[in-house]
Amino acid sequence: MGGFSTAHTHSIFLIVAYDLDHIETQLKNRWGYKYVWFQKQNNAWDDATRFIYKCQNWSELIPQIEGAWRTHQFEKEPFFYYAINRWYNFWSAQAVEQLFTDLPGVAPNPKPLENHYDFRWLGVPFDHKTSVFPKGFEGDYAFAKAYPEKLLHWFYNHQSTGQRHHLKNRLFIVCYAQDGQHYKLKAKIGILKTAIENYMKDRTPADTFALDLQTQHKTLADIIWVTA
């Protein structure tokens, strides 16, 4: 697969270093299509689109979608958008994770499938998730900026349902564009990099919100705003 740079070492294990400029270029290919979800995420469609994890390039993705659609006989247009949306979100998330783990004090999880966190920030395990500003939230952008805990509670209550649901520590990267094209910011890796670095340089996990989401346990969470 193209788009990889030389691997580098964190601690005693080896991870892949992605070419983030290449990922940004590939992600922008998705901009030529409307941003819609015809189908809520579910295990069956997730299983049918597992090829997204191996297709970093847009040119490789399209024939994979065609083949999977013919195999599973899902409705064509909803399946196409489901696949490109999952691909777009996955590769943006891969880039974001590298932006975090390239920073001092942040170490990648060597066994993410076993331990279920993305990285340790000064020793504290955290997940990360990039989201567009949600239409269903009770307030507008100004309200969310003034009351971030309300938006954090909304995310934990409404996102990652089913097998994806958890109440663990998480940093939410929230994209808000003045023109309403919030999703495009997920592909602007340079803007994401600046926002993440600016947030992380003066903070520690102690500066995040400690939410009462579960009995006898605090969930650490915060919002990193990405605006344009």
Side-chain angles (χ1 to χ4, degrees):
M1 182 187 302
F4 295 102
S5 61
T6 303
H8 62 277
T9 302
H10 286 268
S11 186
I12 61 173
F13 53 91
L14 195 68
I15 65 170
V16 172
Y18 293 113
D19 180 341
L20 299 187
D21 289 336
H22 178 79
I23 289 179
E24 178 165 340
T25 298
Q26 294 305 307
L27 290 175
K28 287 179 178 178
N29 285 298
R30 194 255 172 269
W31 290 2
Y33 301 84
K34 58 189 176 182
Y35 189 72
V36 293
W37 283 89
F38 288 94
Q39 172 74 46
K40 288 185 177 181
Q41 281 199 258
N42 62 77
N43 295 343
W45 284 47
D46 281 358
D47 288 342
T49 53
R50 293 182 68 82
F51 54 82
I52 65 163
Y53 304 131
K54 297 181 180 180
C55 295
Q56 188 181 126
N57 296 328
W58 179 262
S59 61
E60 299 170 350
L61 175 69
I62 302 306
Q64 290 285 339
I65 295 173
E66 179 75 16
W69 167 71
R70 291 185 183 281
T71 297
H72 297 282
Q73 292 296 299
F74 293 125
E75 191 176 351
K76 189 171 186 178
E77 187 177 28
F79 185 72
F80 173 77
Y81 278 96
Y82 192 95
I84 66 171
N85 288 341
R86 288 199 71 219
W87 173 86
Y88 186 78
N89 289 340
F90 173 76
W91 284 104
S92 176
Q94 292 297 102
V96 165
E97 187 164 327
Q98 182 164 310
L99 294 176
F100 277 111
T101 57
D102 280 345
L103 296 175
V106 182
N109 180 0
K111 298 179 180 179
L113 296 180
E114 294 180 23
N115 298 327
H116 307 295
Y117 68 88
D118 293 325
F119 52 80
R120 286 188 180 273
W121 176 19
L122 298 177
V124 181
F126 273 88
D127 190 12
H128 72 84
K129 183 171 179 62
T130 307
S131 300
V132 299
F133 188 80
K135 292 181 180 180
F137 182 59
E138 62 195 59
D140 59 11
Y141 171 73
F143 180 84
K145 290 278 286 186
Y147 301 99
E149 284 186 84
K150 291 185 179 294
L151 182 56
L152 288 170
H153 279 279
W154 189 94
F155 278 131
Y156 276 107
N157 288 332
H158 291 85
Q159 287 194 343
S160 299
T161 57
Q163 67 179 2
R164 307 172 193 84
H165 183 68
H166 71 68
L167 300 175
K168 296 177 182 177
N169 302 338
R170 177 173 278 182
L171 293 175
F172 292 90
I173 299 92
V174 181
C175 298
Y176 182 87
Q178 295 289 339
D179 63 2
Q181 298 293 299
H182 311 312
Y183 83 99
K184 289 187 175 181
L185 293 176
K186 291 185 178 185
K188 295 185 177 182
I189 308 302
I191 293 177
L192 292 168
K193 182 176 188 289
T194 298
I196 290 168
E197 289 179 348
N198 287 342
Y199 174 88
M200 296 289 283
K201 68 182 178 182
D202 295 323
R203 291 179 175 84
T204 72
D207 297 310
T208 62
F209 293 95
L211 306 179
D212 291 311
L213 302 178
Q214 38 195 334
T215 305
Q216 298 181 335
H217 180 76
K218 297 284 188 179
T219 298
L220 302 182
D222 208 351
I223 295 170
I224 300 175
W225 289 100
V226 180
T227 58

